[in-house]
Amino acid sequence: MDISIWAWVGFHAVVFFVLALDLGVFHRSAHAVSIREAATWTVVWITLALLFNLGLYFWLGSKSALDFLTGYLIEYSLSVDNIFIFVLLFSFFRVPSAYQHRVLFWGILGALLMRGTMILLGAALLERFEWIIYIFGAFLLFTGLRMFLSKEEEEEIHPEGNILVRIVRRFIPVTKEMRGPHFFVREHGQLMATPLFLVLLIVESTDLIFAIDSIPAIFGITQDPFIVYTSNICAILGLRSLYFLLAGVMGMFHYLKTGLAFILSFVGVKMLWPEITYLVVHEHYHVSNVLSLGIIVTTLVVAIVASIIRARRLEVAVPDA
């Protein structure tokens, strides 16, 4: 499908306009984001994504709209896993609530560039070497199984081992304490990075790691670079507000990681399914995206409901003293 260059330009123009409005108007001064504000922005980002999806329906048809919605749900659900890391990261560095939005905002801008590059590269490779789709599928299946078998205790932060942090510390001096919302300061005539900049680097590198899982998953739904990119970006744009909305209750979603592991494994099997069926019955059978969307939504609903039920049972079993 040939997408006009103006579609790409228009999409980015809207994205940058909303981001500029977000930082330049609503978050011009650093402040702790309230639950109400986070909920409002979460609704705004989801509404914008659904409006874009509606536009795709009238512009490119129902298939592209369905592909976008499925990809968006996959990426949005997998982004929740980032929130676990953000909670640990901000806690480790003792980042004040007032500065967390600034870190996540600039992290999103970096993600736009990194993910765009990865998606265009992945699309080019798939166009030239179609068999790579099976490598993606096997990788997702492996990742899903590994996530399912991993223990929660393994979710730790080791910033001193981050290669970007080590490089910065080698070439740029770092202040011992935060300097307000600044990433860099000049002290005694010397340019110095602040711990807040180190946090930003870890956020960027963490997003890169998660993108390695999530981008192949969306390629399992569609190989159209425009749909893959826009669904990916629309999902991560809402990640900041979702973080502030859910950060305080992430421990409540005990089964969500299991649900995400199942989704990754399912998409991996979906990508491998045509080859598996060919080996068995000598026919290539594909899993429809309608069925995929239903399975993904059902998995998320079951994981969330089961987590809430478990949390309430624990509250009853261990009443407040």
Side-chain angles (χ1 to χ4, degrees):
M1 180 190 306
D2 293 326
I3 302 294
S4 168
I5 185 65
W6 293 110
W8 290 91
V9 172
F11 176 78
H12 284 95
V14 173
V15 167
F16 287 125
F17 171 76
V18 178
L19 286 175
L21 193 65
D22 182 359
L23 186 66
V25 178
F26 296 101
H27 295 94
R28 176 178 295 180
S29 58
H31 65 277
V33 179
S34 66
I35 296 294
R36 181 176 180 179
E37 182 182 359
T40 300
W41 275 101
T42 299
V43 171
V44 167
W45 288 117
I46 292 176
T47 300
L48 288 175
L50 293 179
L51 288 174
F52 181 76
N53 191 36
L54 183 63
L56 287 176
Y57 176 81
F58 289 109
W59 176 36
L60 298 176
S62 59
K63 183 182 183 304
S64 294
L66 178 64
D67 290 347
F68 173 89
L69 182 60
T70 306
Y72 174 76
L73 283 177
I74 290 176
E75 178 60 36
Y76 203 65
S77 59
L78 291 176
S79 292
V80 175
D81 214 26
N82 290 41
I83 296 178
F84 286 100
I85 301 299
F86 294 160
V87 171
L88 294 174
L89 181 61
F90 290 147
S91 175
F92 182 91
F93 280 95
R94 297 183 176 86
V95 179
S97 300
Y99 305 149
Q100 293 176 8
H101 180 274
R102 177 176 171 82
V103 172
L104 295 179
F105 177 88
W106 290 105
I108 291 296
L109 291 184
L112 287 172
L113 179 61
M114 287 191 302
R115 294 191 177 223
T117 301
M118 293 177 66
I119 288 170
L120 292 178
L121 178 61
L125 288 174
L126 285 172
E127 185 176 359
R128 187 180 180 107
F129 308 106
E130 293 185 3
W131 48 268
I132 289 181
I133 194 73
Y134 300 119
I135 295 180
F136 283 179
F139 173 74
L140 289 177
L141 181 57
F142 168 77
T143 302
L145 292 175
R146 185 185 62 183
M147 183 184 295
F148 180 78
L149 296 173
S150 67
K151 299 179 180 179
E152 292 183 7
E153 291 77 13
E154 297 175 358
E155 199 89 75
E156 298 180 356
I157 290 292
H158 301 286
E160 65 280 357
N162 187 284
I163 186 171
L164 293 177
V165 171
R166 289 159 59 187
I167 291 174
V168 169
R169 287 189 179 277
R170 173 168 294 190
F171 294 101
I172 304 176
V174 181
T175 62
K176 292 182 178 180
E177 299 176 350
M178 297 282 179
R179 294 294 187 269
H182 303 293
F183 294 125
F184 293 94
V185 294
R186 189 172 292 277
E187 296 186 354
H188 308 295
Q190 184 180 32
L191 182 67
M192 302 182 71
T194 69
L196 201 64
F197 180 68
L198 300 184
V199 176
L200 176 61
L201 288 181
I202 299 175
V203 166
E204 295 285 14
S205 59
T206 300
D207 179 76
L208 179 62
I209 294 172
F210 278 104
I212 294 174
D213 293 338
S214 64
I215 289 176
I218 301 182
F219 273 118
I221 302 301
T222 176
Q223 296 178 29
D224 183 342
F226 185 75
I227 301 299
V228 173
Y229 179 76
T230 53
S231 61
N232 200 280
I233 297 306
C234 284
I236 64 172
L237 283 174
L239 179 59
R240 291 166 304 142
S241 55
L242 190 65
Y243 162 77
F244 291 109
L245 184 63
L246 299 180
V249 294
M250 285 307 298
M252 181 176 167
F253 298 103
H254 180 77
Y255 296 113
L256 187 56
K257 211 168 187 59
T258 302
L260 298 180
F262 177 80
I263 289 174
L264 280 178
S265 301
F266 165 72
V267 176
V269 171
K270 177 180 183 295
M271 298 168 84
L272 296 171
W273 193 247
E275 195 64 25
I276 294 174
T277 55
Y278 182 79
L279 291 174
V280 176
V281 297
H282 304 294
E283 290 286 343
H284 289 288
Y285 290 99
H286 297 267
V287 179
S288 73
N289 283 356
V290 174
L291 177 60
S292 298
L293 179 60
I295 291 175
I296 291 168
V297 171
T298 301
T299 300
L300 290 174
V301 170
V302 169
I304 292 172
V305 170
S307 297
I308 293 174
I309 293 174
R310 177 182 181 275
R312 289 181 175 177
R313 285 180 176 176
L314 289 177
E315 288 180 0
V316 172
V318 186
D320 295 334

